[in-house]
Amino acid sequence: MRISRRQLLGSTVLALGSRVREALCTPLWKWTSTPVLNAATLPGPAEQSPVVYVDVAKEAGLTLPNVWGGVQKKKYLVEVKGSGLAFFDYDNDGWLDIYLTNGMRFGESYTRQTAPTSHLYKNNRDGTFTDVTAHSGLARTGWATGVSVGDYDNDGWDDLFCTFWGQNILFHNNGDGTFTDVTVKAGLQADRLRWGSGCTWLDYDLDGRLDLFVCNYVELDIEHVPLPGQRPTCQWKGVPIACGPLGLPGGMNILYHNNGDGTFTDVSEKAGILKPGPRNSLQPVAYDFDNDGWPDIYVAADSTGSLLFQNKHDGTFEEIGLRAGVACSDDGRQQAGMGVGVGDYDGDGWFDIFKTNFEGDACNLYHNNQDGTFTDQAYVAGVGGLCPYVNWGAGFVDYDNDGWPDIIYVTGHAYPEIANAGIGSFYKSPRKAYRNLGNGKFQDTSAQLGPGISQLYASRGCAFGDYDNDGDIDILVLNMNDPPSLLRNDGGNRNNWIKIKLQGVRCNRTAIGARVYITVGKRTQMDEVHSGGSFMSQSDLRLHFGLGQARVVDAIEVLWPTTHKREQFTGIAANQILTIKEESGILSPVRRS
Amino acid sequence: MYTHSRKRIGLGVWSMLAAVVLGCTLSMPGAGWAQQLGNIELLKQAQAFVDAQNYPAAESIYRQLLASNPDNPEALKRLGILEQTNMKLDESIEHFKRILLKQPEYSQVNFFLGLSYYGKHDFPSAIASLQREAKTPTAHLATQYYLALALEAINRMDEAIEQLNVAATRNPKKAEVFYELARLHISASFHAIDQLRKIDPDSFQYHAFMGEFYSQAGQNEGAISEFQKALKKDPNGQGIHSHLGVAYYLVNQFDSAEKEFHLALQEWPDEPYANLYLGRMAVHDHDYKKALPFLLSAVETHVEEDYVRVLLGRCYIGLGQLDEAKADLIIATKLDPDDPRTHFLLAEIYQKLNQSDDRERELALYNKLLDIQKAKEASDPGAVTAPATENNP
C-alpha cells in the first residue's frame, strides 16, 4: 500500500465562504487565522536560580537601535543575516569597551549626520558607557558584518578587523583612542565586492605574528538575484522571503599571512584553504583541536558542509570536516550552521564544539573523541531537541562559576515576514541557556535565568565578557533593528572565580592561541585565548574560570604558542584578575570580591 | 460565457481546419478522376484563402463546388466551418445537417455541428452532437473538451469532469483541458463547502475540512485551531489526531504532537504517519529502542518509504545492528538514488566495520551527490531557499 500524504490529508484545496474566498484572494502570508500559539514560549514559574541576567543596556547608555535592512520585510539576503559586535579593551584600562557593527537600509538616502555607522563605546567603569565613535575613526557607514580583535603588529594595542558586505577594513589601534584604516597599506584591499562574514586572528605558523582568516559567505549581486515572490520557491513555509543562500554561489574563504611589516599576503591557495571549494561560511574559530600545539580552524557554514582545517605544521591545512564528523548532522544532512562556541565541556582536556543551526533543527554538540574525530552528543547531553527558533551567536560560558562551562546562545528568526504569518515560527524569540551538570549532560535553565534571557528579540551576534569586572560573565547581544542588550550577570560571582589576561612576548602580544590550565583539587579546566567566535563577534580576550567554592587555585599552567613553553603558578588566590606576561610571570593582580 | 464561447469556437475551427484538408481530399465521392483532381485543387486554393483570412474568396470556391455537386459533403462541411467561423451559426448547422442526412458519420461533422449548437447556447443539442461524434472512430481530439464545456454549461458537473478526464488522458499536454478541469474542481469544491458551511458552520465536518485546508496551505496554526474545534465537536471523530499531530510537529510543539500521534494509534494501530512521526521523533532523541517498533510499522505501509528506511538505518546504527542498518540503507539508496545522506550513513557503517575502502567509496558518492545538488541549485538561482533542517529534510 502506498498512501500519498495528499490522499491522507484529503484532496480538497480550496473552499467557499467568506473566509475561504478571502483565502483565495489573499496571499498566504497575509492570511488571518485564529492565533493558537503565543508569540513565543515565555517562561512559566520556574525554580529560582542563583544567577539572573538583567538587561541594563538602557541604563548603560546603549540605546541606539541597530540598523540592518528592512524592519518588516527584507528584499536581499544581506538584510537577513545580520552582524556581530565586540567586547574588547581598546584603551588598555582593564575594562571592556564595546564595538557595535551597523548596517544600512536599501532605498534610504542618508546625510553625513543621519547615516548609521558602527559605534565604539568606552567603558566608564561605573556600569555605563560613553559613545566615543566620533573621534575614534571607526565611524563607518556600510554593511559591517563581522569583527575580530588582535594585536597584529604587536605594539601592545589590540587592533580591529571588520568584515563588510563590501570592503573589509583593518583598523589599526593608535593607542590614543583613535584608529586608522590601514586596509590598503596592509594589502587587504579586495578587487571586487565580497560578503565578508566571520573572521578570526590566529598565528597558524607560530611565528609570533597574528595571521588572519576571513570567511566569505556567498556571492551576492543584488542586480541579478531574484526578489522575494519572483520565484515561487523564494519562500519560507509559503511566505516570500529573500532568496538564498542556496542557489547563490558560495564564497571562498581567505587566509592572510602576516608578513611582519604591517602587510599581509593571501596564502589561501598555498595553505589549502581553497581546496574544499565554495561554501556558505559564516563563522571561523581557531583552536588547537587535536592538542598538537598548532591552531586548527573550524568554520560553521550555512547549508553547506562545515569545515575543519587541520594544521599540518608546514603552513598548510588539510580539510577533514567530513571525516572528523563535524561537517554535518549525524545523518549527513548539511545544516544551516550559524554560530560557534568552543570549550572543554566535559573536562577531558580536549576542545569540543557547539554549533547553532536553523529553526526545526537541533544544535550540534560535537564531542572531541581525542582521535581526530568528533561525535555529535547534542541529544545525549540534553541540548539537542529540535529548536523552534533560528539560532545564532553562542558560547561556552560558566555563568554560575561552578567550574563547568555552560552553554548560552541567542535566537531570532531570519525573516521578519513570518512574524504574523501564522505558520508557527517566531521572528523575535528568547535566548537559550543550558547549565552544565558536570556529568556530560546539560539542563535547560532558560526559564530560570531572568528577564535578560527570556526577553524576545531577533538577535544575531553576541559576545561574552565581564564588562563590570565583578567576576561573572555578562553578555552583549546585537538585536537586529533594535538597541543592543547588555545582559548583566547578577549572582554568578557568589561562586569564586579567576580571570587571566595573557600578554605574549615571544608569541603574539594578544597571546591568541595560548592555553591555560587551572587546577583546583582533582579537577582541571582549560581554555585558549581566541579571537572571533560566537556569530561574527568578539568576546573578552581574558580567560575566565569559575572555581565553585574553592578560594585558592592550586595551579595555573600557561602553555604559550610559538615556543610551546609551559609556565606554572601555584597557590593563587581566587577572585582576582591576573595579568600573566610571557617569561615574566604574574603582573599586578587586581583582587576583586 | 457567450463571449468565451465565440472565442473558443473561432479558435477551435482555425486550429482544426488545416488538419482535415488532407483527409477530405482523399475521400471525395461521386466524381470522375479528373474532376476529383480539379476539386482537390479548388479545395487547396480555398484553404489558402482561409489561411489568408480571405473568407469571401474561400466561400466563393465552396459555392462553386456545390454548384456542380450540391451534395458534395466536403464542400458542405468546409462551408459550414467557414460560416461557423463567421458566427453564421444557423447556416452552418443547416449545412452540417445536410451532410449527416446522407452520411451520419461523415468525419467530424458531428463535432462541428456540436460546436455550432454550443455557440448558439443550445447545450442539449450540442451535447447530443458531441456525444455522437465521440462514438465515431475518427472523433475529433477536442470532442470531450467541448462536450465537457457543454455539460458544465447546464450544470452537469460530474459528467463534465468525467469528459475532461478523458480529454486529459488523450491530450496530456493541453493546458486548456487542465485549466477547465481545475476550474470545475474548484467550482465543485466551492459548491460542496458552501453547502457544508450552510448546514452547520460549527460542525465536526466543517472544522475537520478547514483543518485539512489550512494544513495543505501550510497554515499550521490555523489547522491546529480547526482540528481542535473538530475534536471538541466530536471527541471520537476519526482521523483527526494524526493530522493534528503533524500540524503540531510542524510548529515545533513536539510534546503535543507526540500525544496526538499516540491517540491516532489508538484509533488505528497501523496509522502510517503517526508511526512515521513517532519513530522520527524518537530517532532524533537517539531513543532507538523506542523508535524501532514505530518505524517497522511505518515501513509496512510504504508511506515515504525511502525516508523511513533512512530512519531505520539510523535506528539500527544506534542499536549496533549494522547488518540490518546496511540492508535498510541499501533499499533506501534504490528508492531514492539522489539522496546523499544514505551514503553518509553507509560510510558510517563501514567505518564501524573497519572497511575503509567501502567507507571511502560511500563518502565519495556522498560528496558527488552533494555536488550534483549544488550544481542544480546554482543553475536555478533562488530555486531553493529553505535550509535543510530536521523538519525540512
Side-chain angles (χ1 to χ4, degrees):
Chain A
M1 182 177 64
R2 188 172 182 95
I3 305 170
S4 72
R5 169 154 175 73
R6 189 175 172 78
Q7 262 180 291
L8 193 83
L9 287 178
S11 60
T12 311
V13 181
L14 299 164
L16 194 65
S18 58
R19 190 171 185 182
V20 184
R21 278 190 196 283
E22 177 200 354
L24 283 173
C25 304
T26 310
L28 282 180
W29 61 97
K30 291 181 182 168
W31 283 9
T32 52
S33 62
T34 314
V36 292
L37 306 170
N38 294 321
T41 310
L42 293 166
E47 182 189 326
Q48 183 69 34
S49 166
V51 178
V52 291
Y53 276 100
V54 181
D55 188 348
V56 295
K58 193 174 174 185
E59 298 91 305
L62 305 173
T63 54
L64 277 178
N66 165 263
V67 175
W68 200 271
V71 177
Q72 304 294 335
K73 288 184 178 177
K74 295 178 184 294
K75 270 166 85 173
Y76 303 111
L77 188 62
V78 69
E79 300 176 82
V80 166
K81 281 294 163 185
S83 59
L85 35 66
F87 260 148
F88 81 120
D89 182 8
Y90 79 93
D91 53 0
N92 276 343
D93 67 350
W95 294 78
L96 288 177
D97 309 299
I98 288 173
Y99 173 77
L100 298 177
T101 61
N102 220 348
M104 303 173 71
R105 289 205 175 97
F106 289 107
E108 283 193 13
S109 51
Y110 302 106
T111 64
R112 180 179 280 244
Q113 284 72 35
T114 62
T117 69
S118 299
H119 283 269
L120 179 66
Y121 290 92
K122 178 176 165 47
N123 191 327
N124 299 327
R125 310 175 197 177
D126 59 0
T128 68
F129 291 80
T130 300
D131 189 338
V132 294
T133 314
H135 301 293
S136 69
L138 295 177
R140 291 301 179 95
T141 298
W143 296 89
T145 49
V147 53
S148 64
V149 171
D151 182 4
Y152 77 93
D153 57 352
N154 291 333
D155 66 354
W157 300 90
D158 283 328
D159 309 298
L160 208 57
F161 185 75
C162 301
T163 54
F164 282 74
W165 179 54
Q167 174 60 54
N168 299 332
I169 300 177
L170 174 59
F171 290 107
H172 176 257
N173 187 336
N174 301 322
D176 59 0
T178 69
F179 291 78
T180 303
D181 178 348
V182 295
T183 312
V184 175
K185 185 178 156 193
L188 298 172
Q189 187 82 13
D191 55 357
R192 64 191 170 87
L193 176 78
R194 300 184 82 161
W195 184 345
S197 47
C199 49
T200 184
W201 294 98
L202 76 162
D203 182 8
Y204 76 93
D205 54 356
L206 302 186
D207 65 355
R209 295 186 291 263
L210 285 177
D211 312 300
L212 181 61
F213 187 92
V214 183
C215 287
N216 286 297
Y217 182 48
V218 297
E219 301 286 342
L220 178 67
D221 175 1
I222 61 169
E223 297 298 321
H224 296 101
V225 74
L227 296 174
Q230 270 192 347
R231 304 230 179 172
T233 45
C234 287
Q235 56 178 287
W236 171 250
K237 294 185 176 179
V239 181
I241 46 101
C243 294
L246 298 181
L248 300 178
M252 299 292 275
N253 299 323
I254 307 174
L255 178 63
Y256 292 107
H257 177 254
N258 188 332
N259 301 324
D261 59 359
T263 69
F264 292 80
T265 302
D266 183 342
V267 294
S268 313
E269 184 156 17
K270 191 171 81 176
I273 301 302
L274 303 183
K275 210 171 172 186
R279 299 290 166 114
N280 307 328
S281 300
L282 279 172
Q283 182 59 53
V285 282
Y287 282 81
D288 179 9
F289 288 108
D290 52 6
N291 283 351
D292 64 355
W294 295 74
D296 312 298
I297 304 167
Y298 180 69
V299 181
D302 180 4
S303 308
T304 52
S306 294
L307 303 162
L308 177 57
F309 290 103
Q310 185 179 45
N311 195 321
K312 306 308 286 185
H313 312 172
D314 59 359
T316 70
F317 291 83
E318 182 185 1
E319 202 285 302
I320 59 164
L322 190 59
R323 279 175 181 75
V326 290
C328 51
S329 72
D330 62 358
D331 65 345
R333 188 168 33 78
Q334 296 192 328
Q335 297 169 290
M338 305 291 191
V340 190
V342 175
D344 177 16
Y345 77 89
D346 57 349
D348 64 357
W350 296 74
F351 281 118
D352 312 298
I353 301 170
F354 181 78
K355 176 163 76 74
T356 57
N357 294 311
F358 209 80
E359 173 205 333
D361 203 350
C363 295
N364 309 108
L365 177 61
Y366 293 119
H367 176 254
N368 193 324
N369 297 329
Q370 309 177 15
D371 61 357
T373 70
F374 294 74
T375 301
D376 190 349
Q377 294 284 347
Y379 288 93
V380 175
V383 296
L386 297 185
C387 191
Y389 314 124
V390 180
N391 309 303
W392 303 88
F396 282 102
V397 185
D398 184 2
Y399 67 74
D400 55 0
N401 282 334
D402 68 350
W404 294 94
D406 313 300
I407 292 172
I408 292 180
Y409 59 90
V410 300
T411 76
H413 211 285
Y415 315 120
E417 293 89 343
I418 56 96
N420 298 308
I423 55 173
S425 299
F426 316 111
Y427 182 54
K428 295 189 177 184
S429 47
R431 288 88 194 221
K432 293 292 288 181
Y434 290 87
R435 181 167 176 263
N436 190 331
L437 302 178
N439 58 0
K441 294 187 185 301
F442 290 79
Q443 177 192 8
D444 185 346
T445 52
S446 313
Q448 300 162 23
L449 290 187
I453 296 298
S454 61
Q455 63 184 191
L456 310 179
Y457 279 107
S459 303
R460 294 296 186 266
C462 70
F464 303 96
D466 185 4
Y467 81 93
D468 51 3
N469 282 342
D470 68 347
D472 48 33
I473 301 296
D474 313 298
I475 311 168
L476 179 65
V477 187
L478 186 137
N479 302 314
M480 186 176 276
N481 288 319
D482 271 314
S485 300
L486 179 61
L487 307 183
R488 189 184 64 209
N489 181 324
D490 289 347
N493 56 9
R494 286 177 188 157
N495 274 330
N496 296 322
W497 53 275
I498 193 153
K499 199 184 299 288
I500 298 167
K501 178 182 166 75
L502 296 179
Q503 188 177 312
V505 175
R506 304 281 297 276
C507 74
N508 68 86
R509 175 69 180 252
T510 318
I512 288 169
R515 184 179 288 193
V516 172
Y517 295 94
I518 295 285
T519 302
V520 175
K522 291 179 180 176
R523 177 151 157 64
T524 298
Q525 302 175 55
M526 70 160 188
D527 203 352
E528 261 180 27
V529 182
H530 60 279
S531 159
S534 179
F535 179 72
M536 301 202 266
S537 296
Q538 173 67 52
S539 292
D540 192 346
L541 285 159
R542 300 172 298 181
L543 301 181
H544 178 100
F545 299 90
L547 303 175
Q549 294 300 306
R551 294 183 175 183
V552 174
V553 179
D554 295 332
I556 298 174
E557 187 175 77
V558 182
L559 175 58
W560 298 95
T562 305
T563 61
H564 286 157
K565 282 188 178 169
R566 290 175 187 266
E567 292 178 7
Q568 197 176 58
F569 309 92
T570 55
I572 308 296
N575 302 330
Q576 57 176 327
I577 302 171
L578 297 180
T579 298
I580 301 177
K581 185 174 180 180
E582 187 176 13
E583 298 181 334
S584 299
I586 295 172
L587 309 177
S588 59
V590 181
R591 181 180 293 273
R592 306 216 169 251
S593 58
Chain B
M1 172 59 84
Y2 181 67
T3 312
H4 284 179
S5 302
R6 288 167 68 103
K7 194 176 174 187
R8 281 192 188 116
I9 289 168
L11 285 171
V13 169
W14 284 116
S15 61
M16 293 157 205
L17 199 54
V20 299
V21 168
L22 187 61
C24 295
T25 54
L26 294 174
S27 61
M28 287 174 54
W33 178 245
Q35 191 186 344
Q36 274 197 20
L37 278 179
N39 289 350
I40 289 170
E41 282 310 310
L42 282 171
L43 285 170
K44 277 185 184 173
Q45 204 179 333
Q47 183 58 43
F49 284 129
V50 169
D51 290 344
Q53 298 188 18
N54 187 350
Y55 303 133
E59 185 177 344
S60 157
I61 292 175
Y62 296 141
R63 294 206 181 277
Q64 183 188 333
L65 284 164
L66 289 169
S68 60
N69 178 8
D71 293 326
N72 180 337
E74 190 57 33
L76 277 171
K77 183 171 108 178
R78 290 191 185 207
L79 180 59
I81 292 170
L82 198 59
E83 288 163 345
Q84 191 181 67
T85 305
N86 291 321
M87 298 309 294
K88 295 175 183 171
L89 298 177
D90 289 331
E91 291 90 328
S92 73
I93 288 169
E94 189 193 327
H95 288 130
F96 292 139
K97 278 183 173 174
R98 269 176 62 189
I99 304 166
L100 295 174
L101 208 61
K102 294 196 173 176
Q103 298 186 59
E105 290 197 352
Y106 189 81
S107 179
Q108 299 183 341
V109 173
N110 279 301
F111 172 75
F112 288 107
L113 177 60
L115 257 57
S116 288
Y117 281 130
Y118 181 79
K120 281 174 63 65
H121 287 195
D122 180 355
F123 300 116
S125 301
I127 290 167
S129 296
L130 290 165
Q131 281 175 335
R132 276 197 299 276
E133 172 72 11
K135 288 175 187 164
T136 65
T138 57
H140 194 283
L141 273 179
T143 305
Q144 274 77 21
Y145 173 71
Y146 282 100
L147 180 52
L149 295 186
L151 288 163
E152 182 200 352
I154 56 171
N155 232 3
R156 289 162 64 177
M157 294 299 183
D158 291 347
E159 293 167 84
I161 288 170
E162 192 181 323
Q163 292 302 324
L164 283 171
N165 282 328
V166 176
T169 310
R170 291 184 183 170
N171 306 275
K173 292 192 174 175
K174 206 75 179 165
E176 293 96 321
V177 174
F178 290 95
Y179 166 72
E180 291 297 339
L181 198 51
R183 272 190 60 246
L184 291 196
H185 278 301
I186 286 176
S187 210
S189 297
F190 272 21
H191 183 73
I193 298 157
D194 195 33
Q195 198 59 30
L196 179 60
R197 197 169 58 87
K198 278 177 185 165
I199 294 167
D200 180 2
D202 192 29
S203 66
F204 168 81
Q205 290 83 357
Y206 183 73
H207 291 306
F209 168 79
M210 290 307 295
E212 291 187 21
F213 173 71
Y214 281 122
S215 283
Q216 293 263 339
Q219 295 280 311
N220 291 300
E221 287 188 20
I224 289 168
S225 172
E226 293 293 343
F227 287 137
Q228 284 172 337
K229 285 178 192 168
L231 284 173
K232 201 172 173 185
K233 294 300 292 184
D234 181 1
N236 298 316
Q238 294 286 301
I240 299 297
H241 292 296
S242 178
H243 293 179
L244 184 53
V246 173
Y248 274 132
Y249 184 88
L250 292 175
V251 296
N252 305 314
Q253 294 191 18
F254 303 116
D255 290 342
S256 300
E258 187 170 0
K259 184 182 149 206
E260 293 301 326
F261 289 132
H262 281 295
L263 289 169
L265 290 184
Q266 284 176 20
E267 283 178 2
W268 179 23
D270 296 329
E271 209 289 329
Y273 281 94
N275 280 308
L276 191 161
Y277 276 90
L278 284 169
R280 179 178 179 171
M281 286 193 284
V283 167
H284 293 163
D285 289 342
H286 289 207
D287 191 344
Y288 303 114
K289 275 186 184 170
K290 181 180 171 187
L292 192 58
F294 295 121
L295 294 174
L296 288 173
S297 181
V299 81
E300 289 297 313
T301 66
H302 300 290
V303 172
E304 296 188 23
E305 186 180 347
D306 49 343
Y307 184 53
V308 178
R309 295 277 178 191
V310 171
L311 289 174
L312 271 171
R314 289 178 66 186
C315 207
Y316 283 127
I317 291 173
L319 293 168
Q321 296 173 237
L322 299 184
D323 287 340
E324 286 86 345
K326 204 161 87 175
D328 275 309
L329 290 169
I330 286 169
I331 294 172
T333 60
K334 287 174 183 161
L335 291 168
D336 183 2
D338 298 330
D339 185 356
R341 289 178 298 168
T342 46
H343 298 286
F344 179 88
L345 292 169
L346 281 167
E348 188 180 340
I349 293 171
Y350 291 126
Q351 184 183 19
K352 289 179 191 291
L353 293 169
N354 289 321
Q355 295 174 225
S356 56
D357 288 349
D358 292 325
R359 176 177 186 247
E360 290 304 313
R361 184 194 66 233
E362 293 299 333
L363 282 180
L365 273 167
Y366 170 77
N367 281 320
K368 185 182 165 189
L369 290 169
L370 283 178
D371 289 344
I372 291 169
Q373 277 186 357
K374 298 289 168 212
K376 277 184 190 167
E377 291 156 16
S379 67
D380 184 11
V384 188
T385 54
T389 66
E390 290 281 12
N391 278 351
N392 183 31

